[in-house]
Amino acid sequence: MFKPVPIDRISNFIIEQIKEAVFQKRLKPGDKLPSERQLMEQFKTSRVSVREALRSLEHFGIIEIRRGVDGGAFIRDPNTKLITNFLHDMFLMGKIKIPDMTEARLAIEPFSVRLACERMTEEELIKIRQNIHEAKDCLERSNQEDARLLNLEFHRIIAQTSKNPVIFFMIDSIMDIMENNISSIPLSVDAVERTIHYHQKIHSALKERNPKGAQDLMLKHIGEIQKSLEGLDSKPLLKKRDKT
């Protein structure tokens, strides 16, 4: 399956060949890699280089090392949370800032809701309506925290309904950062109510199958979010994400 590699930077060549086999689907999720000894023979290299490559592949989330009699190195299912964790770490280090995220949302979410309007099913429309009702109910019971979390979930649902996995991944990652950091910063009840009101209007546009109306509303909605978050970029974050 694999070819011998040059002596210099041996582990990197091993990594690239295994990644290429995964990307070309010659190796699929759940497949077990050959044993360390077999990999040493195929790559014509040392155990140290093989182990270094396997450790790196495990760190990248491409393989999972299992211990025990039935253990070994197994190809993992794709896991977007690994990338989300990386983005979250970049946010904590200040490499990604709040304005960066809201600018990205301004670019992505209006188009996302337009696609959702064109592609959603009646069941998905009901799911969106249910999300709004639950958020309103939480706010009426003075449960502002859950109302805000449901408001974030609204945007995940829209992205999922767009039927574009790249859009969903990007929005899901941004919502995850907001859920674990920004949402813990106090926000007025009026601001939460305004968000729910926008979500109701967006739902109406979706129900009417009005993609331009939904897109324009989402653009205005995210624009207001951008203004409300402008002052948060200089404030300390309140908690870190538990990477599980």
Side-chain angles (χ1 to χ4, degrees):
M1 181 182 292
F2 303 113
K3 301 174 291 186
V5 296
I7 295 175
D8 59 327
R9 298 173 62 194
I10 292 175
S11 64
N12 286 349
F13 283 95
I14 297 172
I15 291 167
E16 289 306 313
Q17 286 198 52
I18 293 176
K19 285 169 65 176
E20 183 179 0
V22 172
F23 297 152
Q24 293 180 354
K25 298 186 178 180
R26 289 184 283 120
L27 286 171
K28 299 180 176 63
D31 285 352
K32 184 179 180 180
L33 290 178
S35 67
E36 285 187 0
R37 182 173 295 279
Q38 290 170 324
L39 289 173
M40 289 164 56
E41 293 172 356
Q42 290 189 41
F43 287 118
K44 305 295 187 210
T45 187
S46 69
R47 186 182 298 273
V48 171
S49 295
V50 168
R51 286 185 173 177
E52 182 181 346
L54 293 178
R55 281 197 299 269
S56 295
L57 289 165
E58 185 179 30
H59 177 73
F60 296 149
I62 294 173
I63 67 170
E64 175 187 3
I65 305 296
R66 301 176 191 170
R67 311 300 174 188
V69 177
D70 297 323
F74 293 82
I75 305 300
R76 293 187 59 169
D77 284 317
N79 188 347
T80 59
K81 289 301 179 185
L82 294 169
I83 306 300
T84 300
N85 287 341
F86 171 74
L87 292 176
H88 186 267
D89 289 342
M90 294 289 284
F91 183 68
L92 291 176
M93 290 187 292
K95 301 295 184 181
I96 296 175
K97 299 184 182 298
I98 291 170
D100 299 326
M101 291 194 298
T102 50
E103 281 183 1
R105 293 184 68 185
L106 281 168
I108 300 167
E109 292 206 58
F111 183 63
S112 172
V113 78
R114 185 182 189 97
L115 289 180
C117 191
E118 295 169 352
R119 300 174 178 178
M120 68 182 177
T121 64
E122 288 302 315
E123 289 77 12
E124 288 167 333
L125 186 62
I126 291 170
K127 185 177 181 181
I128 293 167
R129 184 182 65 198
Q130 182 178 353
N131 168 273
I132 297 168
H133 286 170
E134 289 177 0
K136 287 178 63 179
D137 183 61
C138 285
L139 200 59
E140 288 170 2
R141 291 186 284 106
S142 300
N143 187 350
Q144 188 174 335
E145 182 178 353
D146 283 353
R148 293 178 69 180
L149 292 175
L150 284 162
N151 283 341
L152 293 177
E153 186 64 21
F154 173 88
H155 293 271
R156 283 193 178 97
I157 296 171
I158 295 294
Q160 192 171 37
T161 306
S162 76
K163 308 289 197 300
N164 184 310
V166 177
I167 288 176
F168 175 71
F169 161 68
M170 295 172 73
I171 297 303
D172 184 48
S173 297
I174 293 173
M175 293 302 106
D176 191 77
I177 292 173
M178 295 184 69
E179 182 176 314
N180 288 279
N181 293 285
I182 300 171
S183 63
S184 60
I185 296 173
L187 192 65
S188 70
V189 173
D190 287 345
V192 180
E193 285 180 340
R194 281 199 305 274
T195 294
I196 294 174
H197 181 61
Y198 263 111
H199 290 181
Q200 289 175 313
K201 292 170 72 174
I202 290 169
H203 172 265
S204 295
L206 291 170
K207 187 176 181 180
E208 294 168 3
R209 301 285 175 169
N210 180 0
K212 186 178 186 307
Q215 180 173 320
D216 291 345
L217 283 166
M218 184 66 81
L219 184 63
K220 188 174 180 181
H221 175 36
I222 303 300
E224 288 203 6
I225 291 173
Q226 184 179 39
K227 290 179 182 178
S228 67
L229 295 178
E230 281 177 351
L232 299 182
D233 201 40
S234 60
K235 295 182 180 181
L237 298 174
L238 301 184
K239 63 177 180 176
K240 294 186 178 182
R241 189 180 193 280
D242 179 20
K243 296 183 182 179
T244 58

